[in-house]
Every structure is written in structure tokens, then in C-alpha cells.
Amino acid sequence: MIELGVNIDHVATLRQARRGSAPDVVAAAKICEIAGAHQITVHLRADRRHIQDADVYALKQTLLVRMNLEMAAVSEIIAIAHDVKPDVVCLVPEKREEITTEGGLDVAGQQAKLAEVTAGMHEHEIKVSMFIDPEPRQIEASATIGADYVELHTGAYANARGDAVERELQRLWDSAETIGQTSLRCHAGHGLTVRNLMPVALIPELFEVNIGHDIIARAVFIGLDNAVKEILDILRDVENKR
Ligand code: PXP
């Protein structure tokens, strides 16, 4: 079965709206874990707009499932990652003014730097994923620098309308096939929802999806436990079809 990483950044977004302690990020992670999530994902941004350093340390102490730390490849956050030792880091591009991670990481354009960051993570026994657009040259570069996984950015697919949906989906399918011919493992994420997940989840090479906003948004109405379970139901259903 495709594994589910639940991104709980937006539980922290709600907490930071009042700079208080509710809702509790660790409690949210535990509910996801009990509901059957395979991984908890958090993005420690340089601007600390949602997840805080203390959250990352608290999650590391309490999680039973894998911890995936999304981060920019900048020295401040690299040092925190080395100290916390999450199971996985997912390297993402980060722009201060963006609402959310906009595009994939340009691995091909900064191979030497990212190879060094990857090697440093490996020395700390942390697996490394590259969040990339579905482009052959980014896949090739990720394999060359020794990354363990690539996470295909599904944002263009999620935002596509009309004929573009099929086109963007095909790019994801083609990229996954290319990834399957390398040592990399194929993950996907960004903008995935209960409504648009199925065609992506049918990709034969797909190993993991990371979903945040839609789960937390639906949790407001149906509860976090149910919001996680309805995604898991789709992934289970897909297992019989692919
Ligand atoms: N994967 C990566 C690498 C991301 O940066 C994000 C957003 O933080 C997600 C997955 C989750 O995206 P969404 O919140 O749209 O589900």
C-alpha cells in the first residue's frame, strides 16, 4: 500500500494565529498516527510561520511513526536537522513571500551544494528526499547526487483545469516511470485532496504521498481522525486497482 505522510503544518498555523498553545501539534500528530498515518511531515521554515523549533524536538521525542522534516538547504536549518535527526529530510525551495512551496527544487542547477548537504544528512543517518518538478533532468540530478527519494511536486496537476489535468497527470506518470529506472524511490505531494488523489495514487511506482492542507481543512468539519482515514481508504482502494 502507498504510505501516507500527514503534513501537520497547518495545525501550527492555527496555533500561531494566537501565539498560544492550542491546538497542540504533538496531539495532532498522535491522532494521525493512531488513525494509521505512516509518517508525520512538518516544514520548519526560516520564517517560522507555523512549525517552531520546539515542535520539531517534541515530535522527535514522541512519534512512533517516521518523521519527515521538510526544509530549505540553508545552514541554520541543516544544523537543526543534524541535531534532531528526523528519519527523513525533504529538501524544498523556500521563498519568504510565498504562501506555500511554489515550485520544485532546482537540483540540476545546484548539484555540488546539494550533494554535500545530502552526504551530511547521510552521516547523521538521515534519508534525503528532493522535492522536484516532474522533469527528467531533475530526476537524473537527484540520482547523481545520491538522494534516496524524490517527491514529485503535484501542485501543477492539482491546479490544472480542463485539458491541462490530463497533461499534468501524464507528466507525473512519465516521471515516475523514469524514477523507477533509477535507485530513487518515488513520492508525491502538494495540493493533493480526497478528490484528486486517485489518478496519482494509481501510478505503479508511487511509494508515498504527503498531504497537508486538505486533511487539516477537512478535519475542521469531520475531525482529524476521519480526515486521515478517508485518505487511507482511497490508498487501500487503489491497492486493488494498480
Ligand atoms: N510535500 C511538500 C514537499 C510540501 O512542501 C508540502 C507543503 O508544505 C506538501 C507536501 C503538502 O502540501 P499540501 O499542504 O498542499 O497537501
Side-chain angles (χ1 to χ4, degrees):
M1 176 175 159
I2 295 171
E3 300 202 334
L4 172 64
V6 180
N7 180 315
I8 56 169
D9 290 350
H10 296 307
V11 175
T13 301
L14 191 54
R15 181 193 60 195
Q16 295 308 108
R18 290 292 166 90
R19 303 272 190 277
S21 57
D24 186 325
V25 165
V26 173
K30 296 309 274 186
I31 289 169
C32 295
E33 198 176 83
I34 293 163
H38 303 90
Q39 168 172 280
I40 298 299
T41 298
V42 289
H43 185 174
L44 184 66
R45 293 185 68 103
D47 63 12
R48 306 299 200 275
R49 69 172 68 156
H50 37 53
I51 293 294
Q52 306 295 305
D53 299 30
D55 297 323
V56 176
Y57 283 92
L59 287 166
K60 171 68 185 183
Q61 289 293 315
T62 46
L63 283 182
L64 298 176
V65 294
R66 284 195 309 273
M67 177 176 178
N68 173 25
L69 180 66
E70 294 175 359
M71 53 176 280
V74 295
S75 55
E76 182 207 6
I77 310 290
I78 290 170
I80 293 172
H82 288 176
D83 191 38
V84 172
K85 295 190 179 56
D87 300 278
V88 188
V89 294
C90 180
L91 301 183
V92 303
E94 215 176 90
K95 289 190 221 109
R96 198 160 274 274
E97 66 282 8
E98 70 191 355
I99 292 173
T100 183
T101 315
E102 279 166 1
L105 189 66
D106 181 16
V107 182
Q110 39 184 343
Q111 285 199 38
K113 177 189 161 192
L114 293 177
E116 194 183 313
V117 175
T118 300
M121 293 296 170
H122 285 162
E123 275 169 29
H124 289 81
E125 297 180 356
I126 303 165
K127 300 277 192 199
V128 183
S129 179
M130 299 287 162
F131 186 48
I132 57 167
D133 289 324
E135 292 170 2
R137 69 190 195 103
Q138 300 297 351
I139 296 166
E140 206 178 294
S142 300
T144 303
I145 65 165
D148 301 285
Y149 321 129
V150 286
E151 180 167 329
L152 293 175
H153 195 316
T154 48
Y157 158 74
N159 292 330
R161 295 293 172 266
D163 292 347
V165 176
E166 213 35 59
R167 240 187 350 262
E168 291 300 335
L169 191 58
Q170 194 57 48
R171 284 178 73 203
L172 294 169
W173 276 69
D174 292 347
S175 295
E177 196 181 342
T178 306
I179 294 164
Q181 290 154 10
T182 69
S183 58
L184 297 162
R185 213 168 73 179
C186 181
H187 301 171
H190 210 284
L192 295 175
T193 70
V194 276
R195 290 189 184 80
N196 69 18
L197 174 61
M198 180 73 94
V200 173
L202 284 167
I203 295 174
E205 295 83 4
L206 194 62
F207 192 91
E208 172 188 304
V209 286
N210 283 290
I211 305 180
H213 188 270
D214 189 59
I215 290 179
I216 305 306
R218 291 181 67 78
V220 172
F221 299 117
I222 64 170
L224 184 52
D225 174 69
N226 287 327
V228 171
K229 282 182 179 159
E230 59 181 11
I231 296 288
L232 287 170
D233 283 346
I234 294 171
L235 297 178
R236 237 174 256 121
D237 194 23
V238 159
E239 210 43 41
N240 305 320
K241 295 191 176 127
R242 56 178 206 155

